[in-house]
């Protein structure tokens, strides 16, 4: 594949986007971030993108009367930015199947738990960490996985465990997990830039 030209999709503050951009700017990751896509016009990730002169695409799927119009407009914009790889980083909308199909094997997501535990519809943000504590598991972690048509079910690319402390709150756990996210998202992308990610069914 040519050099990775990444679109990062995010709905929130974008600290994972920042970690990826920082790794690229430091020369640790051979990618260009060609666009940041958000469904929220006031998402913090857009300020971070502007600070690095990264083009932004703001599209709320709900504003489109039909999905096919949304999909074709989004695909056109991604093509204009010559995007060949996608990283979801706290993007709270399901990716339409046409987009998944266009980028199959070249679209990643990061999840703040060790999948397949504590994943799927409804498991996002604080809810993930609250469920982890409620269940009493001693280890949680981070998963980077390929995206398919469902929530959090695609083949796993990279995982790293994080210890749960007895006195953790969802917030303290989230903060520790987030630090690990910032380490492993660039590392997972590096597997693709270096051609080390071979996909064989569910196994990467
Ligand atoms: C992260 O915890 C990520 O795992 C989840 O959403 C959060 C995004 O955080 N999918 P940020 O916007 O990158 O700071």
């Amino acid at each position: 594949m040519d050099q990775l030209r990444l679109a990062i999709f995010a709905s929130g503050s974008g600290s994972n986007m920042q970690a990826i951009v920082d790794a690229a700017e430091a020369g640790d990751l051979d990618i260009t971030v060609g666009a940041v896509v958000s469904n929220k016009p006031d998402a913090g990730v857009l300020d971070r993108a502007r600070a690095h002169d990264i083009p932004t695409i703001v599209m709320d799927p709900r504003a489109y009367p039909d999905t096919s119009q949304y999909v074709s407009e989004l695909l056109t914009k991604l093509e204009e930015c010559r995007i060949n790889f996608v990283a979801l980083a706290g993007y709270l909308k399901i990716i339409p199947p046409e987009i998944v199909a266009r980028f199959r094997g070249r679209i990643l997501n990061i999840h703040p738990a060790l999948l397949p535990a504590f994943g799927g519809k409804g498991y996002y943000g604080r809810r993930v960490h609250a469920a982890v504590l409620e269940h009493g598991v001693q280890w949680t972690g981070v998963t980077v996985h390929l995206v398919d048509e469902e929530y959090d079910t695609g083949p796993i690319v990279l995982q790293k465990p994080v210890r749960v402390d007895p006195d953790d709150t969802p917030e303290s756990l989230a903060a520790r997990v987030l630090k690990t996210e910032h380490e492993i998202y660039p590392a997972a992308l590096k597997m693709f830039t270096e051609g080390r990610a071979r996909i064989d069914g569910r196994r990467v």
Side-chain angles (χ1 to χ4, degrees):
M1 193 195 281
D2 299 335
Q3 199 216 24
L4 257 58
R5 266 188 82 82
L6 193 66
I8 300 177
F9 284 49
S11 306
S13 93
S15 69
N16 277 288
M17 169 271 187
Q18 189 71 57
I20 294 167
V21 169
D22 289 348
E25 287 185 354
D28 294 336
L29 188 58
D30 184 22
I31 58 158
T32 300
V33 181
V36 165
V37 179
S38 188
N39 58 310
K40 291 198 173 172
D42 57 350
V45 72
L46 296 169
D47 295 328
R48 293 184 194 260
R50 289 182 202 110
H52 291 267
D53 291 326
I54 298 167
T56 57
I57 299 171
V58 181
M59 287 176 68
D60 182 352
R62 287 175 312 182
Y64 290 78
D66 73 283
T67 317
S68 61
Q69 193 184 333
Y70 164 74
V71 167
S72 79
E73 202 173 300
L74 179 54
L75 281 174
T76 303
K77 290 187 176 174
L78 294 174
E79 270 160 28
E80 282 167 4
C81 296
R82 292 178 289 119
I83 298 304
N84 60 14
F85 206 98
V86 172
L88 310 182
Y91 187 67
L92 295 179
K93 295 276 166 199
I94 189 102
I95 300 294
E98 298 87 340
I99 308 271
V100 174
R102 182 69 66 96
F103 290 97
R104 192 165 313 275
R106 290 173 294 133
I107 174 166
L108 299 179
N109 181 43
I110 189 158
H111 185 77
L114 292 175
L115 291 174
F118 306 109
K121 196 165 165 49
Y123 281 103
Y124 59 87
R126 187 184 190 281
R127 293 176 188 209
V128 176
H129 306 294
V132 161
L133 293 175
E134 165 92 1
H135 199 89
V137 295
Q138 297 177 357
W139 290 89
T140 182
V142 180
T143 303
V144 176
H145 65 94
L146 286 154
V147 173
D148 62 13
E149 284 76 5
E150 314 285 324
Y151 281 103
D152 301 329
T153 53
I156 290 167
V157 175
L158 201 55
Q159 291 188 302
K160 190 164 179 184
V162 173
R163 177 87 194 163
V164 179
D165 290 337
D167 50 1
D168 261 327
T169 61
E171 288 70 27
S172 66
L173 188 54
R176 216 158 55 252
V177 168
L178 194 60
K179 276 195 194 144
T180 301
E181 294 184 43
H182 299 160
E183 278 169 42
I184 83 157
Y185 217 166
L189 285 162
K190 202 168 185 155
M191 290 170 62
F192 286 83
T193 64
E194 295 180 346
R196 287 187 288 113
R198 282 192 318 281
I199 303 165
D200 178 14
R202 283 209 55 84
R203 304 184 72 162
V204 180

